[in-house]
Amino acid sequence: MPVLEAKDLRKEYKLGGHRVNALEGINFQVEKGEFVAIMGPSGSGKSTLLHLLGGLDSPSSGGITLAGQNLARLSEHKATLVRRHNVGFVFQFFNLLPTLSAEENILLPVIIDGKDPRKYKERLARLLELVGLQDRRHHKPDQLSGGEQQRVAIARALVTEPAILLADEPTGNLDTKTGTAIMELLRRSCDELQQTVIAVTHDARAAAYADRVIFLRDGSIVHERTADSEEAFGPRLRGILETMEQLEAV
Amino acid sequence: MMRLTRMLTFRSIRARFPRFALSAFGIILGVAGLLAIRATNTAALNSIVTLFESTSGRAKLTLVTAEADQGSFSEEILQRVQTTPGVALANPLVIVRTDLADDRPAAGLNLGLFGTDAGGLALHGVVPSLETQTRAYTLTAGRFLEEKPKEYEIVLVEEYARDKELSLGDWVEILTPNGVRRLKLVGLIAREGPGQTNNGSFGVMPLDTAQELFNRARNLDQIDIVLVNPNPDTAELASLRANLQDEVGAKYSVVYPSGQGERMTQMLQNYQIGLNFMSGIALFVGAFLIYNAFAMTIVERTREFGMLRTIGMTQRQVVAQVFVEAGILGIFGSAAGVGLGVLLARGLTRLMEVIMNQGLGSVDFASPDILFSLILGLGVTLLAAGLPAWQAGRISPMEALRVRGKSREGWLIRYGWTLGALLLIGSVVLLVINPFPYDVQFRLGSLTVFGLFTGATLLIPVTVGVWERVTRPIMGWLYGASGSLGSRNVQRSRVRTTLTVAALMVGVAMVIMVRGMTESFASDLRVWMKAYLGGDIYVTSSVRMRSDIGRRIQEVEGVYAVAPIRYFDVKWQTPTGETESLNFMAVDVAAYTRVTNFVFSGQQVNCQFALQRIQQEGTVFISNVLAEKYDLGIGDALRLRTASGYRDFEIVGIVVDFYNQGMVVEGDWETMRRYFHIKDASTFLVKVQEGRSAPQVQNEIDMLYGERYHLTLESNESVRGRALNLMDQAFRMFDVMALISIVVGSLGVVNTLTMSVIERTREIGMLRAIGTTRGQIVRMVLAEAALMGAIGGILGLGTGVVLARILFIGMTTMSGYQLTFTLPPEGVAFSLVMALVVSQIAAIPPAIRAARTRILEAVQYE
């Protein structure tokens, strides 16, 4: 049974009196533990799709089923609770609270949920180990590098064991080396924690870590590329780059 | 919830502590003002009641004459009072006001503004054995009076004696209608209980002595009545009073002793209503600052709230976090406000002591007052944080995903102008049409303050563009190229601009309001005072002056005219049938018009005709206050109690008179003599011949008659100076309140401009990178501030004028004075300049911060 399913997803905006179709009939499914990258040129609808999948915005028509619930029909409050329990977010600009330590930032979703963070000691230790920040747990965001901040953000997204982790340009604000480390971390979370991950990215290198890459153009899925588990990183990256070139050429 | 609060709210406060402190400042000032005024009010009112109660001792009732001028009455009535059932003791008194012979005090001008009525020496003639049974004197030295002393003796308040360098056994020389008389100082009493009379300038002498020295043979001024039941309940006391009144007849009045304090209490309350209104506004300004600070915080933390919403924080949780922060602010601010209020109350008490000419003692802070201030402070803070909290709750989680933080322009910014225009029009219409009675208007006035400020604030966002385009060339001219750049910045965040402009607007409006009100009062008071204290020399005395003294003064070389004036209280029947007290000012109209003029109210048609009519029998002028309050006009009848009972007087003129809060009727000297049987004068106004020196003539009169008639002479200029000084003191408190709101307004500017600079760090870095100098950056920020100062100033002027009118209506209603509204042009110019100067000074710290931006760090700033 898929963790996430989008059915004939459409989103219309009104912009200066004109109707703009941001998404036009998107259909796809994501299985548990799968790592999906969404790619496409600027204005292709990637961010809109991510907003709909995370329950941040509602579709004009169509449905999204996440962990057995149709997000399109939920009230604002219920959508918030779905986000709280079933969605983890990783942002391009990390979005950590500057007044909290790394550890407190990671535990923030648990605290918001009114749970006792002391009961999450083991989970915290495991996540800190996963992101490699055991020694930096008491540091404030301004004492951490960009890569470290993003790792804190990933740990925060994973702390509630969400059904799905949504990453919006997770390497967009990082150098290549740090970006690689972050993508490897997301990959490991899939492999080791059976975490489902959907990442929106411009970066073909980042997308090459995914099991499947969905290519969008003008609000529609125009191509899907599923990686062969035997396929090496190099050829996989080349394949993605070629597809992107073709899309941008059209 | 608690954990979340600890992690988010407490740390947010710590991280933004300066702003937290600034916001707290607003509430601290508001609460402090409110508490101080409440405490001072209570202290002042209590002290008056206590004074009258302690000076009346065990006497529960007092008998005085019901005649006009509350003169003396025959002591025959004493026997009848003494034998009335329920009366334990009837204590006869002669009450006189005099001065020490070698003591020539400045004239005790009773302006009647706030009930100041002190000065001179108050002496009571008493029967020692009865007096000590009535009042508890604390003897500090010597002995009390003897029943039948061999020589004249006197007992004085110790402090007074010390001030006048008098010791036990000394001969005290006092002024009497029969010249200077010597009394032996046999005892000293403490300034407590009856020793507080006349603010401690008090003494007692045997009744016989007083009757002899002050021409009161077999006459009394008052009888204090001690009852058999020392603690009767209200009903019993009322019935005893009615019995006694029946027994003594209509020639006498049986009154409650503390009732004498009522008029002073009433006057004090009028002044305090004004202060309360101002402290209410100070609290509102505080609330505005809190709103401002919270709204800024929400703008600043938009992305943070967006992220929290994304990871599952509900709208309610976000709102609760803002409210918790506001609650903490409210508790700390109110608590600190209570502390400051205690200090402020001490200052205010001293001021009140000056105004009342009466010691108030210590200020007590009742726990209900403190609790009320705390709750009000907290309530106002929570209320002020309400809108920002609601806005925070509505922040979309998608804000967290935006590459650049963007300040949202909610519907209130986009469409709020319609509500603003409605509020503004509604408030102004309410004031212009004036469909309500005065007291309702005043209460509504406080409400319209909120309507006006909110309305004007809501209009700012839609008009910012217009303001900016109009002033851009000026900013460019003043600050160069960076000036027009800074000018354009005000359009970028209309939320921020609105909040800054609104803070300034409130500050300027407060100044205009206070200026307008003070000036309206002062200018009218000056006109009246010039006429009221007309002529060149003001002659008065601690003892009564026969009117022939006037004729003698008239003969002094250099004197052009002398006008005698006599003030006395008279009972009148209001059109509704109640009996109230009025002040009658009797003048010799012919002489008076040679010295000065009547100030006729605008309703007067023919002044010459009015002056002819007033000299005819049975006619009076009334003050415009009376005319307005009781709907009386020329030709109407005024029912006054004369020596031979009630009689109607025809109203032939309406005059401006501020004496006794405008409860004044004026009549001719002959009218007074005929109907009220009064012959002496309270005051003479002397006009000097043209070309003659007033001080010389004053010296001449003093030399000839000063000592002989115990006259006190003062130039009218100096009397007017003292009166105006008294008025200024009363208004100074309002200036302090206005100053507070300006400080608060400028804090708003610092707050919002700093925010603006922080938000634009990257942009400023970019400008520096492409070659903008530090000086240009400073000018850019200053230009932005100047533009906001200009908008705030102009809007503040508009709202201020309307507010000044509201307060003006309120003050005139409460005080009874009918004034003309005046707003001095220099006051208007001053407030506009002040808005600009304040905006520039407040912009300096953020401008320096902007200029110091490090280019490399800034361009990496997220």
Side-chain angles (χ1 to χ4, degrees):
Chain A
M1 190 181 164
V3 172
L4 178 86
E5 186 175 13
K7 262 190 191 164
D8 196 25
L9 210 52
R10 288 168 195 277
K11 183 70 185 175
E12 259 180 28
Y13 289 114
K14 274 186 188 163
L15 206 67
H18 295 285
R19 277 166 188 254
V20 176
N21 291 318
L23 293 176
E24 294 185 82
I26 301 282
N27 289 290
F28 71 95
Q29 293 183 344
V30 180
E31 300 296 331
K32 183 163 172 61
E34 199 181 0
F35 188 160
V36 177
I38 298 172
M39 291 195 77
S42 293
S44 59
K46 301 187 297 289
S47 293
T48 307
L49 180 60
L50 192 82
H51 296 167
L52 296 183
L53 297 181
L56 300 176
D57 202 356
S58 47
S60 304
S61 67
I64 307 155
T65 312
L66 174 66
Q69 295 188 77
N70 188 354
L71 289 187
R73 291 202 190 137
L74 293 182
S75 67
E76 205 290 325
H77 184 73
K78 283 201 172 138
T80 303
L81 296 183
V82 167
R83 280 203 303 277
R84 183 187 289 179
H85 299 124
N86 296 308
V87 185
F89 277 96
V90 175
F91 309 97
Q92 183 181 355
F93 287 107
F94 328 133
N95 281 336
L96 301 179
L97 288 195
T99 50
L100 305 188
S101 67
E103 185 180 296
E104 288 166 330
N105 263 298
I106 294 171
L107 289 170
L108 190 58
V110 174
I111 295 162
I112 287 175
D113 202 22
K115 290 184 180 135
D116 186 351
R118 283 171 298 192
K119 290 182 182 162
Y120 283 74
K121 254 186 183 168
E122 272 178 39
R123 177 87 183 152
L124 177 70
R126 204 167 150 204
L127 286 172
L128 282 169
E129 192 197 333
L130 179 78
V131 300
L133 288 175
Q134 294 101 317
D135 303 334
R136 315 279 283 165
R137 60 195 295 171
H138 298 303
H139 287 63
K140 295 268 172 69
D142 59 359
Q143 297 166 313
L144 299 173
S145 69
E148 285 171 331
Q149 287 190 52
Q150 194 61 306
R151 279 188 272 162
V152 173
I154 291 170
R156 179 180 70 189
L158 293 172
V159 75
T160 54
E161 301 178 55
I164 190 165
L165 187 152
L166 298 176
D168 184 18
E169 301 282 4
T171 58
N173 205 31
L174 300 171
D175 59 57
T176 315
K177 196 177 158 199
T178 319
T180 303
I182 290 299
M183 291 317 291
E184 276 171 359
L185 180 57
L186 288 175
R187 180 72 254 171
R188 274 174 59 207
S189 71
C190 293
D191 299 339
E192 292 174 21
L193 307 174
Q194 279 294 294
Q195 180 63 53
T196 313
V197 177
I198 299 177
V200 161
T201 182
H202 267 102
D203 182 2
R205 275 188 80 79
Y209 286 89
D211 300 314
R212 184 156 52 117
V213 184
I214 295 174
F215 293 92
L216 288 185
R217 194 179 62 200
D218 299 333
S220 303
I221 297 177
V222 288
H223 187 71
E224 272 194 48
R225 189 180 192 284
T226 309
D228 185 341
S229 55
E230 299 300 314
E231 195 176 18
F233 189 80
R236 199 188 284 186
L237 176 60
R238 265 196 301 280
I240 296 168
L241 283 169
E242 277 166 18
T243 313
M244 281 296 287
E245 266 172 35
Q246 285 166 13
L247 286 177
E248 276 163 10
V250 175
Chain B
M1 178 70 186
M2 198 47 223
R3 189 170 280 116
L4 201 59
T5 303
R6 216 172 47 228
M7 280 181 77
L8 299 181
T9 311
F10 287 179
R11 295 201 194 177
S12 157
I13 291 172
R14 217 184 310 158
R16 299 171 179 83
F17 190 75
R19 184 174 311 153
F20 181 83
L22 281 184
S23 325
F25 192 63
I27 215 70
I28 289 171
L29 290 177
V31 168
L34 208 77
L35 178 70
I37 287 166
R38 276 181 87 89
T40 314
N41 275 5
T42 316
L45 298 179
N46 284 347
S47 95
I48 291 168
V49 173
T50 316
L51 175 72
F52 281 102
E53 275 175 1
S54 66
T55 51
S56 57
R58 292 171 59 214
K60 290 282 180 282
L61 294 170
T62 294
L63 181 127
V64 290
T65 172
E67 302 278 317
D69 196 29
Q70 303 209 339
S72 305
F73 52 88
S74 166
E75 63 183 25
E76 282 162 17
I77 194 74
L78 188 64
Q79 188 61 32
R80 216 175 321 154
V81 175
Q82 183 68 72
T83 52
T84 305
V87 172
L89 183 150
N91 180 27
L93 291 175
V94 162
I95 298 172
V96 293
R97 194 175 282 269
T98 180
D99 261 310
L100 298 182
D102 56 353
D103 200 24
R104 300 288 296 273
L109 171 73
N110 182 354
L111 249 188
L113 268 178
F114 301 104
T116 47
D117 185 8
L121 172 64
L123 286 177
H124 286 186
V126 300
V127 177
S129 58
L130 297 176
E131 177 68 4
T132 46
Q133 285 181 64
T134 311
R135 279 175 262 265
Y137 289 87
T138 313
L139 206 64
T140 56
R143 59 171 174 80
F144 201 67
L145 304 167
E146 276 180 7
E147 292 292 324
K148 295 279 174 203
K150 289 183 207 77
E151 50 200 354
Y152 294 149
E153 24 176 88
I154 190 168
V155 168
L156 290 173
V157 172
E158 189 182 17
E159 244 181 81
Y160 178 79
R162 201 186 313 133
D163 275 359
K164 304 293 175 191
E165 293 171 359
L166 291 166
S167 315
L168 217 58
D170 283 357
W171 287 99
V172 182
E173 297 190 331
I174 60 166
L175 297 176
T176 76
N178 310 304
V180 177
R181 291 292 180 270
R182 284 151 52 98
L183 294 93
K184 191 165 194 179
L185 184 58
V186 296
L188 297 172
I189 52 169
R191 192 182 164 178
E192 55 183 55
Q196 291 179 65
T197 308
N198 194 35
N199 223 11
S201 303
F202 173 70
V204 284
M205 61 183 142
L207 185 71
D208 300 344
T209 313
Q211 285 177 327
E212 182 191 332
L213 297 185
F214 291 88
N215 300 342
R216 303 274 219 281
R218 302 190 60 75
N219 272 349
L220 301 174
D221 291 296
Q222 184 175 310
I223 298 173
D224 286 340
I225 301 156
V226 180
L227 303 172
V228 176
N229 177 2
N231 293 306
D233 59 29
T234 322
E236 190 185 344
L237 192 62
S239 114
L240 271 168
R241 176 171 166 250
N243 281 350
L244 257 169
Q245 186 68 67
D246 283 348
E247 187 64 36
V248 296
K251 269 182 81 181
Y252 303 92
S253 289
V254 181
V255 297
Y256 301 116
S258 59
Q260 297 166 22
E262 268 167 24
R263 210 185 85 177
M264 195 163 177
T265 311
Q266 181 62 43
M267 289 177 192
L268 199 64
Q269 272 172 349
N270 295 341
Y271 177 69
Q272 286 162 340
I273 283 170
L275 272 179
N276 268 332
F277 183 74
M278 292 299 285
S279 68
I281 290 183
L283 199 68
F284 172 73
V285 175
F288 203 81
L289 184 76
I290 288 166
Y291 167 75
N292 189 318
F294 269 92
M296 292 307 295
T297 308
I298 302 311
V299 171
E300 189 187 30
R301 290 165 67 187
T302 297
R303 184 185 279 185
E304 180 182 318
F305 283 124
M307 182 276 289
L308 289 168
R309 295 274 293 116
T310 309
I311 64 171
M313 204 179 214
T314 60
Q315 289 185 333
R316 202 180 295 170
Q317 279 178 311
V318 172
V319 172
Q321 288 306 310
V322 179
F323 270 123
V324 168
E325 200 169 322
I328 294 168
L329 181 79
I331 290 167
F332 277 100
S334 306
V338 166
L340 183 68
V342 171
L343 293 177
L344 199 64
R346 297 198 200 290
L348 202 58
T349 311
R350 294 292 92 81
L351 180 73
M352 208 56 111
E353 282 176 342
V354 172
I355 290 168
M356 291 167 63
N357 202 359
Q358 167 71 53
L360 295 188
S362 65
V363 188
D364 287 330
F365 292 92
S367 10
D369 277 354
I370 292 181
L371 198 69
F372 172 78
S373 308
L374 282 172
I375 291 172
L376 195 74
L378 182 63
V380 165
T381 312
L382 290 176
L383 215 64
L387 188 61
W390 180 72
Q391 284 172 329
R394 289 178 59 87
I395 288 174
S396 157
M398 283 195 283
E399 293 293 337
L401 296 160
R402 287 189 205 284
V403 176
R404 299 276 300 141
K406 177 176 159 253
S407 56
R408 271 159 42 90
E409 291 207 336
W411 65 270
L412 211 57
I413 291 292
R414 278 177 284 134
Y415 309 115
W417 66 271
T418 38
L419 182 65
L422 281 176
L423 274 172
L424 217 54
I425 293 167
S427 310
V428 174
V429 163
L430 211 65
L431 287 163
V432 172
I433 296 178
N434 275 343
F436 306 103
Y438 271 159
D439 56 329
V440 180
Q441 264 182 50
F442 185 60
R443 276 167 236 288
L444 270 180
S446 317
L447 210 83
T448 45
V449 173
F450 290 80
L452 273 174
F453 279 138
T454 318
T457 305
L458 288 172
L459 276 180
I460 298 170
V462 284
T463 54
V464 163
V466 181
W467 292 107
E468 196 273 315
R469 273 191 294 281
V470 172
T471 48
R472 196 187 298 164
I474 305 170
M475 293 303 152
W477 177 71
L478 279 174
Y479 299 96
S482 47
S484 58
L485 200 65
S487 160
R488 275 172 227 244
N489 278 336
V490 299
Q491 287 213 60
R492 291 178 43 180
S493 171
R494 292 195 290 175
V495 183
R496 192 169 51 224
T497 303
T498 301
L499 292 175
T500 316
V501 167
L504 274 172
M505 172 186 77
V506 173
V508 171
M510 289 285 284
V511 174
I512 298 261
M513 183 167 76
V514 170
R515 283 264 138 237
M517 192 195 61
T518 317
E519 279 305 312
S520 302
F521 256 76
S523 62
D524 271 26
L525 268 175
R526 274 188 202 109
V527 171
W528 166 72
M529 226 175 263
K530 207 174 161 195
Y532 181 76
L533 302 173
D536 303 300
I537 305 162
Y538 188 82
V539 182
T540 182
S541 172
S542 296
V543 293
R544 288 192 174 168
M545 296 184 288
R546 298 196 314 267
S547 47
D548 66 309
I549 295 174
R551 282 195 291 279
R552 286 171 202 263
I553 296 173
Q554 176 73 69
E555 283 154 19
V556 175
E557 208 189 325
V559 171
Y560 171 70
V562 179
I565 301 176
R566 177 66 157 99
Y567 307 100
F568 57 94
D569 282 336
V570 58
K571 293 261 181 295
W572 77 297
Q573 251 175 23
T574 66
T576 49
E578 286 149 44
T579 305
E580 282 183 14
S581 204
L582 282 181
N583 195 274
F584 196 108
M585 175 174 125
V587 295
D588 177 344
V589 175
Y592 190 75
T593 46
R594 290 181 76 200
V595 175
T596 180
N597 295 305
F598 287 97
V599 184
F600 287 108
S601 146
Q603 300 146 21
Q604 191 69 38
V605 191
N606 188 336
C607 302
Q608 277 311 314
F609 184 62
L611 287 175
Q612 282 170 22
R613 291 294 315 275
I614 190 72
Q615 294 179 70
Q616 292 165 3
E617 197 182 314
T619 54
V620 288
F621 288 162
I622 59 165
S623 76
N624 53 351
V625 177
L626 269 180
E628 183 87 13
K629 202 166 173 181
Y630 294 98
D631 199 21
L632 293 169
I634 293 171
D636 288 344
L638 191 77
R639 208 167 167 73
L640 298 178
R641 181 174 176 155
T642 66
S644 51
Y646 278 101
R647 184 190 190 285
D648 280 343
F649 288 81
E650 191 193 345
I651 298 168
V652 294
I654 293 166
V655 289
V656 176
D657 199 331
F658 294 97
Y659 186 78
N660 191 37
Q661 302 211 313
M663 300 304 281
V664 177
V665 52
E666 297 176 2
D668 189 47
W669 201 260
E670 266 311 300
T671 309
M672 171 179 79
R673 286 164 62 113
R674 183 172 306 159
Y675 296 104
F676 300 96
H677 302 174
I678 294 172
K679 296 179 184 89
D680 61 318
S682 315
T683 303
F684 292 102
L685 295 183
V686 180
K687 194 173 170 75
V688 171
Q689 281 169 5
E690 242 175 87
R692 297 301 293 254
S693 140
Q696 251 175 32
V697 177
Q698 183 179 330
N699 273 342
E700 184 77 16
I701 301 170
D702 198 13
M703 228 161 57
L704 287 169
Y705 304 113
E707 198 150 338
R708 189 155 147 206
Y709 297 118
H710 318 299
L711 304 180
T712 306
L713 290 101
E714 197 175 355
S715 80
N716 276 4
E717 219 169 295
S718 104
V719 176
R720 274 199 292 270
R722 281 196 295 118
L724 290 173
N725 193 30
L726 183 77
M727 189 174 74
D728 286 346
Q729 274 176 339
F731 284 127
R732 206 160 296 152
M733 209 57 213
F734 294 104
D735 283 335
V736 172
M737 295 283 186
L739 200 72
I740 287 174
S741 58
I742 293 197
V743 172
V744 169
S746 64
L747 292 179
V749 179
V750 178
N751 200 2
T752 44
L753 273 179
T754 307
M755 266 302 302
S756 154
V757 166
I758 293 172
E759 256 186 36
R760 294 210 304 264
T761 302
R762 182 188 280 206
E763 181 185 310
I764 293 166
M766 180 274 292
L767 287 171
R768 294 273 294 119
I770 62 167
T772 312
T773 64
R774 285 178 197 268
Q776 283 174 314
I777 297 287
V778 168
R779 285 199 291 279
M780 183 180 82
V781 178
L782 289 181
E784 189 177 343
L787 180 55
M788 289 196 273
I791 308 174
I794 293 168
L795 289 178
L797 177 66
T799 43
V801 169
V802 182
L803 281 178
R805 277 212 65 94
I806 301 173
L807 194 64
F808 175 76
I809 292 169
M811 287 299 279
T812 48
T813 308
M814 295 299 150
S815 62
Y817 303 139
Q818 299 301 304
L819 307 163
T820 9
F821 184 69
T822 343
L823 194 62
E826 64 272 16
V828 171
F830 169 76
S831 53
L832 280 177
V833 170
M834 190 200 59
L836 288 173
V837 170
V838 161
S839 75
Q840 294 299 280
I841 293 171
I844 292 171
I848 291 173
R849 184 186 176 129
R852 283 187 181 158
T853 303
R854 288 168 195 251
I855 302 172
L856 279 182
E857 278 175 27
V859 290
Q860 285 161 5
Y861 188 88
E862 180 217 314

